[in-house]
Amino acid sequence: MTGRIPAAVSLITVAHNSAETLRRCWSATRLPADTEWIVVDNGSSDDSAAVARALGARVIDAGANRGFSAGNNLGLQHASGSFIGFVNPDVVVDVDSIGELVATARRRRALVAPQLLNLDGTEQPNGRGYPLLVAKVRNRLRGGDAAYLLRSGDGEPQPVCWVMGAAILGDRALFEVLGGWDARFFLYYEDKDICLRAWAAGIPTLLVPGARWTHGWARETTSLHWGAWRREIPSMVKFYRRYPEFLSGPRASARAHPEIDAAVYGADRKRSRDAHA
């Protein structure tokens, strides 16, 4: 970073064959002068790197597809900002709300996420409750689980167990305290893991209702596409070996994570948590 003026905010995007998505979601984004955009090109075979440069990003060539977590960590190494946002290629950033995310994260010493919206403007439940295996299966089969799919609502930032890794932000110092993303998760489950490690370190995860970004999300593993499941299953095994309480149920999860239970569920939400079982 010699000779480069440090940014106040660094947004980091990991791209892999994402050229069309970058064009669609970032072409209209005009970042403030104190905000840099870093795109880590994870071994793309399309023109992701050229598109990102044309859109104003500083491109870091990972040399190969090193996975989402490793790509995020590489971007963090090259970032100059004191505040970091990890943002997927398919997210449309509301630039005017970045300041609110920074202020909330610093006031609460938290990792934060905007409330994501679907393409039709409806709220996307990017906040989540306990990552119980039974809750994940139930959500894939039918959805609509109010104890698992969490939204920000109105008013104050909403504590959640974890947020989808499509957009997660926080002070650089907090990510460094956590040691960054765990590169043993090539893809999937890394977002659950980093939020759980943050909670254990006294760093909550919050959904910020005043920040609303659009996410053109299409999860591969909601279908029977074997390639996607082949990538998810190894991460699933790693995750539940590390956090076996989430194989048991909400009571075991609450005992293992009392700080999450108190902040996210609380006494008045005990009934909803028990319905999670």
Side-chain angles (χ1 to χ4, degrees):
M1 293 184 291
T2 302
R4 186 180 299 276
I5 298 173
V9 176
S10 297
L11 300 182
I12 297 167
T13 298
V14 176
H16 177 68
N17 295 334
S18 306
E20 289 305 315
T21 302
L22 290 169
R23 287 191 188 96
R24 184 176 70 251
C25 296
W26 290 83
S27 291
T29 302
R30 300 293 179 265
L31 295 174
D34 66 350
T35 300
E36 67 175 351
W37 181 32
I38 294 173
V39 170
V40 177
D41 185 34
N42 241 0
S44 296
S45 58
D46 67 359
D47 59 343
S48 292
V51 169
R53 287 192 187 94
L55 293 174
R58 179 157 60 101
V59 175
I60 308 299
D61 183 3
N65 188 357
R66 300 168 58 179
F68 180 67
S69 293
N72 279 336
N73 290 338
L74 181 60
L76 182 59
Q77 291 171 20
H78 287 268
S80 65
S82 60
F83 190 83
I84 305 294
F86 298 96
V87 186
N88 275 12
D90 59 354
V91 171
V92 179
V93 175
D94 174 16
V95 173
D96 292 338
S97 67
I98 292 176
E100 182 172 355
L101 290 164
V102 173
T104 301
R106 289 179 170 166
R107 185 176 69 250
R108 302 282 291 270
R109 193 176 179 268
L111 301 185
V112 297
Q115 172 62 64
L116 295 182
L117 305 177
N118 295 307
L119 294 176
D120 63 2
T122 58
E123 289 186 348
Q124 191 175 102
N126 57 307
R128 297 297 170 92
Y130 289 136
L132 304 173
L133 181 58
V134 65
K136 288 178 59 61
V137 171
R138 186 164 55 211
N139 182 57
R140 296 283 176 87
L141 292 175
R142 70 183 190 198
D145 186 342
Y148 181 63
L149 303 175
L150 305 181
R151 297 170 174 83
S152 64
D154 298 320
E156 290 299 307
Q158 172 70 43
V160 295
C161 182
W162 60 282
V163 291
M164 288 163 41
I168 182 167
L169 305 90
D171 261 323
R172 180 191 199 100
L174 297 188
F175 287 111
E176 289 175 346
V177 163
L178 297 173
W181 298 73
D182 189 338
R184 286 170 288 190
F185 294 100
F186 183 85
L187 186 64
Y188 304 121
Y189 291 83
E190 68 290 310
D191 43 11
K192 302 173 183 63
D193 174 72
I194 199 168
C195 292
L196 289 168
R197 288 190 286 115
W199 276 107
I203 303 166
T205 298
L206 305 175
L207 267 183
V208 180
R212 302 170 76 80
W213 298 5
T214 300
H215 181 209
W217 183 47
R219 187 180 177 88
E220 294 174 299
T221 49
T222 56
S223 68
L224 295 178
H225 187 269
W226 169 242
W229 280 104
R230 182 169 53 83
R231 292 190 294 271
E232 176 162 1
I233 289 172
S235 291
M236 180 187 296
V237 172
K238 290 185 183 78
F239 181 81
Y240 287 112
R241 281 179 175 168
R242 181 174 294 180
Y243 303 102
E245 63 272 18
F246 297 126
L247 293 172
S248 299
R251 291 181 177 84
S253 301
R255 287 193 298 270
H257 304 278
E259 68 288 345
I260 295 175
D261 193 64
V264 177
Y265 296 103
D268 60 337
R269 297 186 64 187
K270 182 176 184 299
R271 183 175 302 172
S272 292
R273 174 168 55 81
D274 288 345
H276 214 154

